[in-house]
Amino acid sequence: MKPLTITICTGTTCYVMGSGYLLSIQEQIESACSRPVEIVGSSCLGLCKDGQYGRAPFVQIGSTVIAEATAEKIIETLKQQTARNSMEQI
């Protein structure tokens, strides 16, 4: 199974707002998700330019953007996506 990629912005603002911590939560995420995940850092996701997406730190899972990202928000989004994917397979 192809791993799900979680991209964490590590630009200056996101890093100061806590994205550095988010890079280290692989085990928490893997225990909450039924499929393999890959966490990658990005020097800038470009989401803070005009405030459209909210406030830093930003995380992107597929096409889903998480603003003011926390470990809890990431895990909740993964659970929602997993449930949605399960419903689509029925």
Side-chain angles (χ1 to χ4, degrees):
M1 178 182 285
K2 183 178 176 184
L4 179 64
T5 300
I6 299 171
T7 306
I8 298 175
C9 184
T10 57
T12 303
T13 302
C14 286
Y15 192 82
V16 168
M17 298 300 287
S19 68
Y21 165 74
L22 296 175
L23 289 168
S24 65
I25 60 169
Q26 178 96 28
E27 288 183 20
Q28 286 180 345
I29 291 172
E30 284 180 343
S31 65
C33 185
S34 60
R35 62 184 286 189
V37 295
E38 175 185 39
I39 296 177
V40 297
S42 171
S43 60
C44 182
L45 291 174
L47 300 171
C48 58
K49 291 180 184 173
D50 56 11
Q52 175 184 359
Y53 293 100
R55 300 176 64 180
F58 294 101
V59 171
Q60 193 162 13
I61 304 173
S63 61
T64 302
V65 173
I66 303 171
E68 297 182 63
T70 62
E72 293 79 18
K73 285 184 175 181
I74 294 170
I75 290 169
E76 183 61 32
T77 300
L78 289 171
K79 287 179 179 177
Q80 290 172 358
Q81 288 188 357
T82 300
R84 188 172 39 238
N85 289 342
S86 295
M87 294 296 288
E88 290 173 359
Q89 293 176 355
I90 294 175

